[in-house]
Amino acid sequence: MNQYKNLGTKYIHAGVEPDPSTGAIMTPIYQTSTFVQAAPGVHKGYEYARSQNPTRFALETAFAAIENAKYGLAFSSGVAATDAVMRLLIPGDEVICAHDMYGGTYRLFSKVYEKMGIVFHYVDTSNVENVAAAITEKTKLIWIETPTNPLMNITDIEAVSSIGKKHNCIVCVDNTFASPYLQNPLDQGATIVMHSATKYLGGHSDVIQGCLMMNEESLREQLYFIQKSTGAVPGPQDCFLVLRGIKTLHVRMQRHCENGEKVAHYLQQHPKVAKVYWCGLEEHPNHSIAKKQMRGFGGMISFTLVNDSMEAATKVLSSTKIFSLAESLGGVESLINHPASMTHASIPRERRIANGLSDGLIRLSVGIEDIEDIIADLAQAIG
Ligand SMILES: *Cc1c(COP(=O)(O)O)cnc(C)c1O
């Protein structure tokens, strides 16, 4: 499964075999709901497409390979993948999670699973002592995201994973922001990796999808059972698109990293910019951990203006021409976002501010356009 050592070769070839019936080099889109059986129970491994689909299986093999995992599972969205992990729990179980994670994850935990009797402890996981302190004998899951969205806080995956191991709980890492090109949490001891494949894996802002990767067979069995029983599977066309996206992940990520670095340094010296959040900067509080566990620092950057107000931010947000004002990230095109009113609007304001996410914070997903155009656009928008 993981026969390719170098990342680029792996991304292009993982999971992709020429179609056995025609030799087609690209995995066909098996747009079918069911598969004909020669006699009851006599089939080619495919019965019904919620449980098995060849396009999805090819993608799931690629998912496993890109995270150095034994198993991969595809879901109809990132939150559906998160939801599948939550279904491993029963009422009374406790979860430790980051206080500044993705807004949709927070909404799922606090609005759907809290009322089903799951108990959440929201802590600053960038200080691992907070994680150790929140552990009880009921803790079943530690959920971390690193870098976090949108403040780019870094959590030490290895340290949290060893706490998880000691207390026999699952450590799941939302690896969406880093992508497998920059970081592989299973290699650092995590139990499950989750991605919103909507972002860097798909890479072209044309698909919603999620995935889970893991090494333990029993966990794969449980999660596969949940996948087919609850039915949040992606269609074959979407699987094809993500398979295609993965083939260029390394080339896109190289450029996202290069552009990200230039934009971070540009913003840092700008007189109207107060603070830049990018884990590649020496002065980032967790830079040394980022350096230890990541191969590069990516193209996700947040910043505040000296005039840290909704009004000043709004002016920048509505003046960019190359950066489009939109939620989401990780596509080839640059996007600009206002977390307080967009991606993180579901987090109560007091909680948001307490966590350091101000009304004026601006988040960039730096794309892979030419850097001169990207900088010129920011220059005219910030003024
Ligand atoms: C987008 C995102 C999700 C949710 O994924 P969807 O594909 O939108 O359901 C989860 N975590 C992070 C960090 C994300 O950016």
Side-chain angles (χ1 to χ4, degrees):
M1 189 179 292
N2 294 322
Q3 70 266 51
Y4 306 106
K5 219 172 68 230
N6 294 311
L7 297 185
T9 312
K10 179 156 74 180
Y11 295 165
I12 291 170
H13 295 283
V16 180
E17 301 287 345
D19 179 42
S21 58
T22 63
I25 189 164
M26 286 302 138
T27 311
I29 299 167
Y30 284 93
Q31 192 76 50
T32 186
S33 61
T34 193
F35 302 85
V36 177
Q37 309 197 3
V42 181
H43 54 75
K44 299 176 174 166
Y46 298 97
E47 298 156 287
Y48 184 65
R50 173 160 34 77
S51 308
Q52 312 100 357
N53 177 284
T55 317
R56 195 174 89 223
F57 274 5
L59 175 63
E60 289 177 336
T61 305
F63 278 153
I66 63 178
E67 280 291 6
N68 301 331
K70 285 211 182 96
Y71 308 104
L73 290 170
F75 292 86
S76 53
S77 67
V79 292
T82 303
D83 180 70
V85 174
M86 294 310 296
R87 287 171 192 266
L88 295 167
L89 307 181
I90 56 170
D93 284 350
E94 296 188 8
V95 178
I96 300 170
C97 50
H99 71 336
D100 61 342
M101 61 195 171
Y102 174 70
T105 308
Y106 175 72
R107 182 175 55 199
L108 179 69
F109 288 3
S110 63
K111 295 280 169 31
V112 179
Y113 279 98
E114 243 172 59
K115 67 171 190 247
M116 289 165 76
I118 310 288
V119 178
F120 294 89
H121 299 279
Y122 300 95
V123 305
D124 176 358
T125 58
S126 68
N127 179 351
V128 289
E129 279 167 28
N130 295 334
V131 177
I135 295 253
T136 76
E137 68 220 21
K138 291 185 176 156
T139 310
K140 290 288 153 52
L141 172 68
I142 304 174
W143 185 279
I144 58 174
E145 196 181 310
T146 179
T148 57
N149 175 18
L151 291 172
M152 314 300 157
N153 289 318
I154 302 289
T155 293
D156 187 330
I157 298 170
E158 207 172 1
V160 170
S161 298
S162 74
I163 294 172
K165 252 187 209 110
K166 200 162 117 205
H167 296 274
N168 214 9
C169 39
I170 294 169
V171 173
C172 185
V173 180
D174 181 338
N175 203 26
T176 303
F177 262 43
S179 91
Y181 180 76
L182 298 181
Q183 176 173 283
N184 299 116
L186 296 180
D187 292 348
Q188 297 170 46
T191 334
I192 305 175
V193 171
M194 173 264 163
H195 281 276
S196 167
T198 309
K199 317 294 168 52
Y200 288 108
L201 298 182
H204 295 76
S205 308
D206 52 11
V207 65
I208 295 282
Q209 196 177 106
C211 59
L212 299 175
M213 294 83 155
M214 72 240 66
N215 281 321
E216 288 169 33
E217 189 181 354
S218 64
L219 198 53
R220 190 264 171 197
E221 287 313 308
Q222 291 176 68
L223 289 165
Y224 172 64
F225 181 81
I226 290 168
Q227 182 202 40
K228 76 175 179 190
S229 303
T230 64
V233 290
Q237 168 99 19
D238 288 354
C239 291
F240 175 88
L241 286 171
V242 175
L243 255 179
R244 186 166 76 167
I246 290 171
K247 289 177 208 291
T248 56
L249 180 64
H250 54 304
V251 186
R252 289 184 284 109
M253 288 310 299
Q254 278 162 11
R255 183 64 77 87
H256 282 298
C257 288
E258 281 168 32
N259 285 356
E261 181 170 6
K262 288 180 180 143
V263 168
H265 287 122
Y266 169 76
L267 291 172
Q268 212 184 15
Q269 55 76 49
H270 199 294
K272 287 193 181 164
V273 172
K275 186 155 184 209
V276 181
Y277 299 78
W278 186 65
C279 62
L281 294 173
E282 295 272 333
E283 47 273 54
H284 184 286
N286 315 119
H287 178 65
S288 62
I289 295 165
K291 242 165 76 177
K292 179 184 83 163
Q293 66 191 19
M294 301 173 79
R295 298 184 195 94
F297 307 110
M300 293 305 301
I301 301 172
S302 296
F303 66 99
T304 49
L305 298 168
V306 174
N307 175 2
D308 187 11
S309 66
M310 187 81 96
E311 297 67 39
T314 302
K315 194 178 153 287
V316 174
L317 289 152
S318 44
S319 310
T320 55
K321 306 219 157 52
I322 301 220
F323 283 85
S324 302
L325 179 61
E327 297 195 9
S328 201
L329 60 112
V332 291
E333 66 291 309
S334 292
L335 299 180
I336 191 165
N337 170 288
H338 184 232
S341 69
M342 297 167 73
T343 45
H344 291 63
S346 51
I347 300 175
R349 184 169 185 271
E350 317 78 68
R351 183 181 194 100
R352 194 166 44 67
I353 304 271
N355 292 349
L357 201 171
S358 70
D359 288 337
L361 190 88
I362 296 171
R363 189 190 81 183
L364 303 176
S365 171
V366 179
I368 64 171
E369 300 95 337
D370 295 296
I371 189 64
E372 300 76 13
D373 296 330
I374 290 176
I375 301 264
D377 194 33
L378 289 171
Q380 64 80 24
I382 297 171

